[in-house]
Amino acid sequence: MTHDSTGPQSASATPVSLELLRTPPPKERADAARNRAAVLEAAAGLFAEHGVEAVSMDQVAAAAGVGKGTLFRRFGDKSGLAVALLDARERLLQEGVLHGPPPLGPGAPADERLAAFVDAYVDYLLEHLDLVRMSETATPGARYRIGAYRFWHQHMVILLAGTPDPQHAAHALLAALSAEHVAGVLPELGEERMRAGLRRQARLAYAQG
């Protein structure tokens, strides 16, 4: 699949298209910011020590020194905590996609960028698998309501421009990168075999153009 210099693979195409999906964190009052930081620090420590599934919202509130009402109003449930904890990690990957060096960032051919994104996303996913799984599965369809998913999807759509249905192809690739799927197949396949299969899937999707 080829693109001219003004098509989806130009250096500026991805930043211009994806920056619109990014929403800067809202400004907070000083006390609200302190409470948020205390909650996230407490949650991160408890999750690391006991595992995400074993920790209750009551435990997080107690460890953070905030009321349960404050915790639930701010984060809703444990999946909300997971999304908040993942936010900084996701933004690092988004910065790599938008402004980082190629092949993850702009300036490389589309197939190379797609493969680099798959590898970088797997790195992120395996490092935070339990948190991502919680954020994606707490309620039906939760994964598709997360802003980061829309960002990843749009990035893939841009890279797959010229294929018969870039939007569907992007969803199909992201389905193979869901935390639930990866957690299920990783023990059987192992990391290297799983990565190799994901790269092949990305190459096949791109080659349809």
Side-chain angles (χ1 to χ4, degrees), residues 32-43:
R34 284 194 298 271
N35 284 343
R36 175 183 169 84
V39 167
L40 294 181
E41 182 179 358

Side-chain angles (χ1 to χ4, degrees), residues 169-192:
H171 282 307
L173 282 172
L174 285 168
L177 289 168
S178 74
E180 186 76 357
H181 175 72
V182 169
V185 303
L186 187 59
E188 176 185 350
L189 298 179
E191 181 179 340
E192 288 308 311

Side-chain angles (χ1 to χ4, degrees), residues 102-121:
L104 180 61
D111 57 336
E112 293 181 19
R113 293 198 70 193
L114 190 61
F117 172 74
V118 167
D119 274 335
Y121 190 86

Side-chain angles (χ1 to χ4, degrees), residues 96-178:
V97 166
L98 290 169
H99 307 299
L104 180 61
D111 57 336
E112 293 181 19
R113 293 198 70 193
L114 190 61
F117 172 74
V118 167
D119 274 335
Y121 190 86
V122 171
D123 289 342
Y124 153 78
L125 182 59
L126 294 183
E127 186 176 355
H128 309 293
L129 186 57
D130 287 344
L131 279 177
V132 179
R133 191 178 184 186
M134 172 66 71
S135 74
E136 291 182 351
T137 62
T139 57
R143 184 184 192 215
Y144 306 98
R145 294 190 295 271
I146 298 171
Y149 181 88
R150 295 193 296 273
F151 184 98
W152 314 136
H153 180 261
Q154 182 62 18
H155 178 50
M156 284 188 168
V157 167
I158 291 168
L159 297 180
L160 290 166
T163 62
D165 189 342
Q167 290 196 342
H168 179 271
H171 282 307
L173 282 172
L174 285 168
L177 289 168
S178 74

